[in-house]
């Protein structure tokens, strides 16, 4: 399969188009390696993870060039992704060392009770293209830390990052078979893994549509799942918010990876009292973002990943305009010399309302629809009026309000007075149609563990 530069369409390289048979060969290798890897001491495994973290940072420029080429994001963002990925290895290594058998106080003196964490076994991961390295890191690090072995399929748009990642793992001393990469036919590969019986868990990050398919397919062999799916994040600005700070956070959160992250603010809800002020400043800041190839040092907005992605953003803009929204910035693609027509200008729509598509579906592009609200209860009602529940953002100078609102929002992650929430040491994940399971910190390890409860008679009764 050809892998193409996201900005220019130029072929960067080719990777194998594997199917079910290669997928099962990967499971054979992971199964053979499982006994040795899971029997090693946690400190041995943590030492390998530490070397991986170090190697990822040491090869930062190489990774950044590949991520920016195949994904399109600005180089600065690629650098940030590499640090974030290395942190997942640090976090998993530290937490695995802390993880211990637990002895449970028993009300019956004739018995002692223990809970023993065990690796689930061979685990699978299927990852998306928007964070080609970080989405691998947050699945691979905890799996390896607790003694699982892994089979992985990266997104078809970004396999070159995954191949370099595999090289780093091997160089860092990971034994052969502990990590296995398969590129190719997504549905044939996942079907092979989910029907095999040896794969005991699948961690998936991607669309809600594919998440549903995988959940059905996982039923036959009762495969455990973590699903990190689409989001539809509200970004609420209360009347007592610091408006310049809220605008800066809105720009940072909304336009990262050109709006192609599952935690990007998707709906802006602004208190009537500060609506004009927020909109004016936000439009000026959005218009000022430099658009171009990710490899140019000044670029803040790179290309969208595909023509389909461009068409989806365009359809949401057209739908909103037909339903009464006001276009204040962007609204179309802009030409970039020598590049594909995939550079969508940061777009701001005022007077958005719940019947518009952009207020019902994830955009995954640089579109910011803004609606006005009256009081706190109304903001929460609009924010929660969606089956999705990944991230939400709230801005206020009143700590009590932020606390109250954070607890009432239906979602897995809240950014309170910040638009950038990712941290490898914290639990990342959603609820509802955004999926379940957590990645990062000790919560990330639990996804790869099975707890065995042992009840021992201390005297014969
Ligand atoms: P997006 O639309 O953002 O590309 P997808 O959910 O389609 O999101 O893709 C995320 C990952 O899921 C990619 O690795 C892709 O290859 C994989 N994928 C797509 N379709 C299927 C499928 N039917 N079964 C398993 N994996 C799939």
């Amino acid at each position: 399969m050809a892998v193409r530069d996201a900005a220019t369409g130029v072929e960067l390289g080719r990777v194998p188009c594997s199917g079910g048979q290669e997928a099962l060969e990967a499971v054979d290798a992971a199964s053979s390696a499982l006994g040795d890897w899971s029997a090693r001491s946690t400190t041995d495994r943590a030492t390998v993870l530490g070397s991986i973290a170090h190697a990822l940072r040491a090869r930062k420029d190489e990774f950044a060039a590949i991520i920016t080429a195949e994904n399109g994001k600005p180089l600065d963002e690629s650098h940030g992704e590499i640090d974030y990925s290395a942190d997942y290895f640090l976090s998993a290594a530290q937490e695995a060392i802390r993880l211990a058998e637990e002895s449970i106080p028993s009300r019956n003196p004739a018995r002692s009770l223990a809970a023993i964490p065990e690796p689930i076994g061979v685990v699978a991961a299927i990852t998306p293209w928007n964070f080609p390295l970080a989405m691998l890191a947050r699945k691979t690090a905890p799996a390896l830390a607790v003694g699982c072995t892994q089979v992985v399929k990266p997104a078809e748009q970004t396999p070159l990052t995954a191949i370099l990642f595999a090289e780093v793992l091997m160089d860092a001393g990971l034994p052969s078979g502990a990590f296995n990469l398969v590129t190719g036919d997504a549905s044939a590969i996942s079907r092979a893994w989910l029907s095999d019986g040896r794969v005991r868990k699948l961690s998936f990050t991607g669309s809600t549509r594919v998440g549903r398919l995988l959940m059905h397919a996982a039923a036959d062999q009762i495969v455990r799942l973590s699903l990190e799916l689409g989001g539809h994040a509200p970004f609420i600005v209360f009347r007592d918010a610091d408006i310049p700070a809220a605008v800066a956070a809105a720009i940072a959160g909304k336009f990262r990876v050109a709006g192609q992250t599952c935690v990007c603010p998707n709906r802006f809800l602004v208190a009537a009292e500060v609506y004009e002020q927020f909109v004016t400043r936000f439009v000026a800041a959005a218009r000022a973002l430099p658009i171009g190839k990710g490899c140019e040092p000044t670029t803040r907005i790179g290309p969208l990943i595909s023509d389909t992605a461009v068409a989806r953003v365009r359809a949401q803009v057209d739908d909103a305009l037909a339903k009464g929204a006001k276009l204040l910035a962007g609204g179309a693609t802009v030409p970039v010399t020598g590049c594909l027509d995939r550079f969508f200008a940061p777009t701001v729509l005022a007077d958005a309302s719940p019947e518009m598509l952009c207020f019902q579906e994830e955009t995954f592009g640089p579109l910011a629809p803004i609606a006005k609200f009256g009081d706190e209860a109304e903001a929460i009602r609009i924010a929660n009026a969606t089956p999705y529940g990944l991230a939400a953002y709230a801005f206020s100078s009143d700590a009590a309000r932020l606390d109250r609102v954070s607890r009432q929002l239906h979602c897995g992650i809240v950014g309170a007075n910040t638009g950038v929430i990712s941290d490898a040491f914290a639990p990342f994940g959603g609820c509802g149609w955004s999926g379940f399971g957590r990645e990062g910190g000790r919560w990330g390890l639990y996804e790869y563990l099975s707890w065995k409860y042992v009840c021992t008679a201390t005297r014969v009764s």
Side-chain angles (χ1 to χ4, degrees):
M1 305 189 305
V3 184
R4 298 188 179 278
D5 185 295
T8 62
V10 167
E11 187 172 312
L12 297 167
R14 286 183 170 247
V15 299
C17 185
S18 300
Q21 190 188 327
E22 292 82 1
L24 290 181
E25 285 168 18
V27 178
D28 292 343
S31 297
S32 306
L34 182 64
D36 166 60
W37 183 245
S38 60
R40 291 207 193 178
S41 72
T42 305
T43 27
D44 277 0
R45 288 196 299 263
T47 304
V48 176
L49 264 63
S51 307
I52 294 169
H54 179 75
L56 288 172
R57 290 193 223 273
R59 297 179 75 172
K60 198 184 250 186
D61 289 340
E62 212 179 332
F63 268 110
I66 293 179
I67 293 173
T68 290
E70 58 183 5
N71 167 287
K73 68 175 72 176
L75 268 180
D76 260 7
E77 292 186 22
S78 295
H79 279 123
E81 181 175 348
I82 297 152
D83 282 328
Y84 179 44
S85 304
D87 275 354
Y88 274 103
F89 283 89
L90 283 187
S91 159
Q94 289 172 4
E95 294 296 348
I97 286 170
R98 270 191 216 125
L99 187 72
E101 293 187 17
E102 290 176 32
S103 103
I104 300 153
S106 168
R107 63 166 67 235
N108 180 348
R111 304 190 310 182
S112 77
L113 317 181
I116 303 171
E118 296 181 340
I120 297 184
V122 174
V123 297
I126 297 179
T127 56
W129 47 265
N130 60 344
F131 290 92
L133 184 62
M135 298 301 105
L136 285 173
R138 60 158 67 161
K139 298 180 189 319
T140 298
L144 293 179
V146 301
C148 294
T149 56
Q150 199 182 34
V151 292
V152 170
K153 194 208 78 67
E156 47 276 32
Q157 298 89 342
T158 56
L160 301 179
T161 305
I163 290 170
L164 186 59
F165 177 67
E167 199 180 301
V168 163
L169 299 191
M170 285 187 291
D171 290 351
L174 194 69
S176 170
F179 175 88
N180 307 276
L181 188 66
V182 185
T183 58
D185 180 340
S187 65
I189 293 167
S190 66
R191 209 176 317 119
W193 287 345
L194 291 174
S195 54
D196 181 72
R198 289 173 294 173
V199 174
R200 296 317 313 149
K201 186 206 163 95
L202 168 68
S203 177
F204 170 75
T205 299
S207 60
T208 298
R209 182 187 69 82
V210 174
R212 280 200 182 92
L213 293 176
L214 294 173
M215 208 165 168
H216 280 288
D220 281 352
Q221 295 291 341
I222 320 287
V223 175
R224 225 166 113 178
L225 291 171
S226 300
L227 300 175
E228 204 263 273
L229 310 175
H232 192 34
F235 186 104
I236 310 170
V237 183
F238 290 102
R239 64 184 155 79
D240 53 8
D242 174 336
I243 300 301
V247 168
I251 294 285
K254 176 69 238 182
F255 296 114
R256 209 151 64 103
V257 202
Q260 302 171 108
T261 90
C262 47
V263 294
C264 275
N266 216 57
R267 299 168 287 157
F268 288 82
L269 310 175
V270 182
E273 297 87 339
V274 292
Y275 184 82
E276 290 306 327
Q277 193 193 349
F278 179 88
V279 170
T280 307
R281 286 173 182 264
F282 185 69
V283 166
R287 282 204 182 127
L289 293 171
I291 302 169
K293 288 164 78 170
C295 57
E296 308 285 353
T298 51
T299 293
R300 292 283 307 279
I301 302 284
L304 295 184
I305 195 71
S306 64
D307 293 339
T308 315
V310 173
R312 187 178 50 229
V313 180
R314 194 172 279 139
Q316 286 201 357
V317 172
D318 292 347
D319 169 81
L321 293 178
K323 291 174 179 163
K326 263 204 302 257
L327 181 66
L328 300 184
T333 53
V334 295
V336 174
T337 312
C339 291
L340 299 165
D341 181 29
R342 288 195 190 152
F343 294 77
F344 211 98
T347 298
V348 184
L349 293 173
D351 299 343
S353 57
E355 64 276 7
M356 296 173 186
L357 274 183
C358 57
F359 252 54
Q360 293 165 9
E361 293 173 3
E362 185 175 39
T363 307
F364 238 61
L367 166 61
I370 311 180
K372 209 181 277 182
F373 69 84
D375 60 8
E376 187 178 303
E378 187 188 9
I380 291 169
R381 187 178 51 71
I382 302 173
N384 286 342
T386 170
Y388 293 94
L390 190 55
Y393 304 87
F395 288 75
S396 166
S397 52
D398 176 350
R401 190 207 288 274
L402 282 181
D403 181 60
R404 197 165 59 231
V405 169
S406 298
R407 287 165 201 277
Q408 289 180 74
L409 289 167
H410 297 164
C411 61
I413 304 165
V414 176
N417 286 341
T418 178
V420 178
I421 38 74
S422 298
D423 191 306
F425 294 81
F428 187 105
C431 57
W433 285 10
S434 295
F436 49 80
R438 292 294 178 266
E439 297 185 303
R442 71 184 141 87
W443 303 273
L445 297 197
Y446 292 162
E447 301 290 327
Y448 295 92
L449 292 174
S450 172
W451 288 90
K452 183 175 281 166
Y453 158 50
V454 179
C455 175
T456 307
T458 49
R459 58 182 125 95
V460 180
S461 50

